[in-house]
Amino acid sequence: MECIFCKIVKGELPSYTVFEDNNFKAFFDVFPASIGHTLVVPKKHYKDIYDLQSPYTENIFNFVQKVAKNLKEKLECDGINILQNNEIAAGQTIFHYHIHLIPRYKDDGLKVNPAPMKSLPVDSEFEKLLKKLK
Ligand code: AMP
Ligand code: ZN
């Protein structure tokens, strides 16, 4: 079965397109978390952040910024969360790389920000982690 975001890019499935250029398309999430919830996808199929390639990698945030500024200006939202899920464990359900722009409105009650771990790591654990990552 073909990827539904590829179908949207090709116009084989309908979408509410906000903006597009040669490389990217922005369209409404049809199960929105808030009014104006928008997805940005590269027009070429990449599964996730590990798979994404040049020139999409370095250009996608220019495009996302344009979409964000437009949402801010036209919807007069009070904030925007930008979210991007990779792999099932992180909540990815559509395996075509995409960035969520979720407009926020004062006291909207949405829970997007992560809560800290129940038992916080101590200094030595942070140091160990740093070593692993370098
Ligand atoms: P994720 O969970 O990060 O993979 O996000 C996938 C998003 O795609 C979800 O927020 C869905 O609501 C959204 N979605 C699913 N089908 C469609 C569609 N046909 N058009 C627009 N958005 C969709
Ligand atoms: Zn695709």
Side-chain angles (χ1 to χ4, degrees):
M1 213 175 65
E2 214 202 321
C3 164
I4 70 164
F5 287 175
C6 280
K7 287 191 167 175
I8 284 176
V9 165
K10 288 187 208 154
E12 293 170 8
L13 275 179
S15 69
Y16 298 95
T17 301
V18 184
F19 263 161
E20 63 186 318
D21 66 11
N22 287 339
N23 292 328
F24 303 106
K25 188 176 179 85
F27 53 92
F28 287 148
D29 191 308
V30 285
F31 304 103
S34 70
I35 300 297
H37 182 169
T38 300
L39 302 174
V40 167
V41 299
K43 288 192 169 176
K44 192 167 169 196
H45 183 92
Y46 296 106
K47 211 166 52 186
D48 52 30
I49 188 66
Y50 323 113
D51 196 30
L52 191 69
Q53 280 177 31
S54 183
Y56 302 95
T57 329
E58 59 271 38
N59 293 334
I60 195 160
F61 266 95
N62 276 331
F63 187 85
V64 166
Q65 186 189 45
K66 280 185 198 142
V67 178
K69 284 182 167 178
N70 192 50
L71 287 171
K72 173 73 190 156
E73 190 188 319
K74 308 281 175 50
L75 299 186
E76 297 182 347
C77 52
D78 301 305
I80 298 179
N81 289 116
I82 291 180
L83 189 77
Q84 200 269 305
N85 301 324
N86 300 282
E87 302 188 83
I88 291 169
Q92 186 174 10
T93 58
I94 297 202
F95 297 89
H96 179 131
Y97 180 92
H98 54 280
I99 295 178
H100 296 257
L101 290 96
I102 305 175
R104 298 297 302 273
Y105 304 91
K106 198 171 175 293
D107 302 323
D108 62 17
L110 266 184
K111 297 254 176 297
V112 179
N113 294 332
M117 292 166 76
K118 287 205 175 71
S119 128
L120 291 175
V122 294
D123 276 348
S124 59
E125 286 165 319
F126 282 121
E127 293 296 346
K128 246 203 272 176
L129 264 180
L130 268 186
K131 276 200 191 116
K132 245 191 192 175
L133 291 173
K134 284 184 175 168

